[in-house]
Amino acid sequence: LKRIIIVGGGYAGSMLARALDRAAEVVLIEPREAFVHNVAAIRAMVDPSLIDRMILPYDRLLVRGSVVRGRVTAIADGGVSLGDGRIIDGDVVVLATGSTYAPPFKPASDDMASFRAALLAAHEELRAARRVAIVGAGAVGTEFAGEIAAGMPGKVVTLISATHQLFPGFPAKLGTRLAHDLLTLGIDLRLGVTAARFDAAHPPVAGPLELSTGTAVEADLIIPAVGSTPAGDLARSIADARFDRSGRVVVDRWLRAAGRRNLFALGDVSATGDLMTIVAITRQAPWLARTVRAALAGRAIETLPPYKPWPAPPILIPLGKKAGASVLPVTRNGPVVGSWLTAAIKGRELFIPKYRKEFGLG
Ligand SMILES: Cc1cc2nc3c(=O)[nH]c(=O)nc-3n(C[C@H](O)[C@H](O)[C@H](O)COP(=O)(O)OP(=O)(O)OC[C@H]3O[C@@H](n4cnc5c(N)ncnc54)[C@H](O)[C@@H]3O)c2cc1C
């Protein structure tokens, strides 16, 4: 039986581990005490009752394989080494170290007590604030504005978008619809402006927040939502690994990194040609599972179909439980759909039941 080592038990690593659990001996290595369904972190800051339902222990994820708690510090040809000195050999290594995001959108540490505490502290700060400014109107910033408006009415929420059109990489109707919905929810949407002298790594806690237009936004609480940073530290220790401009590790058409035959990279850390989303991982992980299975059966990787990123990426942007808009993966231009489908697919439950089920919880 061949052993597959998967480094990182986020969305990509967990999904791949489950898909390969019966085909190989899977060893999933993850420093975190539990899986964090960070999709729900946005609403959890408004409604902390979600916190316990989005933290999912690893012990029932795999039937045959094992989850090893630890941090990989080096990848060699025949396996990996961990920070505590352990060495684990394997036939295939998959790098799935993902990305970081400003806490508590993603956890800053590996123990869940601190993550819970950080979410609760953010909730209290949010409750106490009358005026909230969100810097960055990507998916996280936009959803957060919608959640506050829906769940904590009465606050003044300013959402700052560097682009004139929301979601510029998607069909224009998506941005137009969301801008309309945000205004209907009473959000103070500022399009085509940036926060001046703003350091997202050390953001100010409260305003005034100076804008590129020369004006300022008064805020009791400033939330940076400026995007994910690929977690490439481990990949940087691999000889011959190369990186794209955003810091994702460069891969070949079969998602192999650093010119190695048995080293794959998946998810946010990998320059797959997809966006850094779970939606992308739902395409990559089944593809890699098929490819690894075929390789284990003796097929040469180069004879297998290469990975093709989403030609037109889908995206779901709920604004609270009822509103929002989405691009569904049907044609090149969408279709862009509104509140009803967005709420039904994602907004109401945020995929919490789906992930609880995957992690063996009722
Ligand atoms: C608040 C928020 C909401 C989001 N909502 C959505 C959404 O609704 N839909 C969507 O498509 N995308 C969403 N995203 C994006 C999505 O979270 C990412 O695309 C996803 O997390 C990427 O999964 P991943 O497995 O590649 O990486 P991650 O989820 O970041 O997981 C990487 C894992 O690797 C582990 N790791 C890191 N280094 C090591 C190491 N050296 N050794 C061992 N393990 C290591 C980490 O502890 C972590 O558990 C959201 C992001 C945020 C921040």
Side-chain angles (χ1 to χ4, degrees):
L1 190 65
K2 299 277 186 179
R3 184 184 282 167
I4 317 284
I5 298 176
I6 303 174
V7 184
Y11 291 92
S14 299
M15 191 183 282
L16 181 71
R18 264 173 66 89
L20 288 173
D21 196 19
R22 284 171 207 285
E25 183 195 343
V26 172
V27 180
L28 179 65
I29 306 174
E30 167 61 49
R32 266 182 208 155
E33 201 184 330
F35 175 87
V36 171
H37 178 43
N38 58 241
V39 169
I42 302 170
R43 185 173 296 162
M45 278 186 249
V46 175
D47 172 10
S49 74
L50 293 180
I51 297 175
D52 281 335
R53 300 186 57 225
M54 58 181 277
I55 296 176
L56 311 175
Y58 283 105
D59 48 3
R60 294 198 208 161
L61 177 71
L62 303 178
V63 176
R64 266 178 47 186
S66 53
V67 181
V68 172
R69 188 159 180 207
R71 181 173 293 276
V72 173
T73 48
I75 294 182
D77 260 338
V80 302
S81 9
L82 274 60
D84 59 12
R86 278 179 287 177
I87 291 177
I88 302 179
D89 297 330
D91 303 286
V92 172
V93 176
V94 180
L95 185 69
T97 53
S99 65
T100 56
Y101 204 103
F105 288 114
K106 276 192 172 183
S109 65
D110 298 332
D111 75 287
M112 291 299 116
S114 351
F115 179 55
R116 279 196 178 85
L119 275 174
L120 282 173
H123 170 70
E124 289 307 329
E125 280 178 356
L126 195 56
R127 247 173 35 138
R130 197 175 64 80
R131 300 158 305 180
V132 182
I134 302 167
V135 180
V140 172
T142 300
E143 281 189 35
F144 193 42
E147 292 296 341
I148 300 171
M152 290 180 161
K155 296 195 190 296
V156 178
V157 180
T158 303
L159 178 61
I160 297 161
S161 164
T163 56
H164 287 275
Q165 164 89 29
L166 288 175
F167 295 89
F170 293 86
K173 220 171 126 189
L174 177 72
T176 319
R177 263 195 117 121
L178 285 168
H180 172 268
D181 288 0
L182 287 165
L183 294 174
T184 308
L185 285 166
I187 308 286
D188 168 25
L189 177 61
R190 309 286 180 98
L191 292 168
V193 297
T194 52
R197 286 190 286 279
F198 182 78
D199 177 1
H202 304 280
V205 175
L209 182 69
E210 248 181 88
L211 299 181
S212 51
T213 49
T215 56
V217 173
E218 291 300 334
D220 313 310
L221 183 62
I222 297 171
I223 308 277
V226 296
S228 305
T229 307
D233 281 4
L234 174 62
R236 277 176 214 287
S237 73
I238 306 169
D240 300 328
R242 291 188 298 119
F243 296 85
D244 73 2
R245 274 166 53 202
S246 66
R248 301 172 89 184
V249 62
V250 171
V251 287
D252 70 8
R253 297 202 298 149
W254 291 273
L255 306 190
R256 291 178 300 186
R260 306 269 187 90
R261 295 178 49 77
N262 293 335
L263 175 63
F264 296 85
L266 193 67
D268 281 11
V269 79
S270 175
T272 52
D274 285 315
L275 298 171
M276 288 197 264
T277 61
I278 302 156
V279 169
I281 290 164
T282 61
R283 187 175 172 95
Q284 296 162 16
W287 172 88
L288 186 54
R290 270 197 309 280
T291 303
V292 168
R293 266 190 239 113
L296 295 181
R299 300 274 305 275
I301 300 265
E302 291 79 2
T303 65
L304 299 168
Y307 179 69
K308 288 199 178 61
W310 281 106
I315 191 165
L316 297 147
I317 308 292
L319 302 172
K321 287 184 190 166
K322 293 183 184 153
S326 304
V327 180
L328 299 183
V330 182
T331 62
R332 231 178 198 290
N333 279 312
V336 175
V337 298
S339 302
W340 193 83
L341 274 173
T342 304
I345 301 171
K346 176 174 170 191
R348 272 203 282 276
E349 303 264 31
L350 299 175
F351 301 118
I352 294 174
K354 170 182 146 79
Y355 282 92
R356 293 188 67 81
K357 196 167 160 224
E358 274 189 28
F359 278 77
L361 304 161

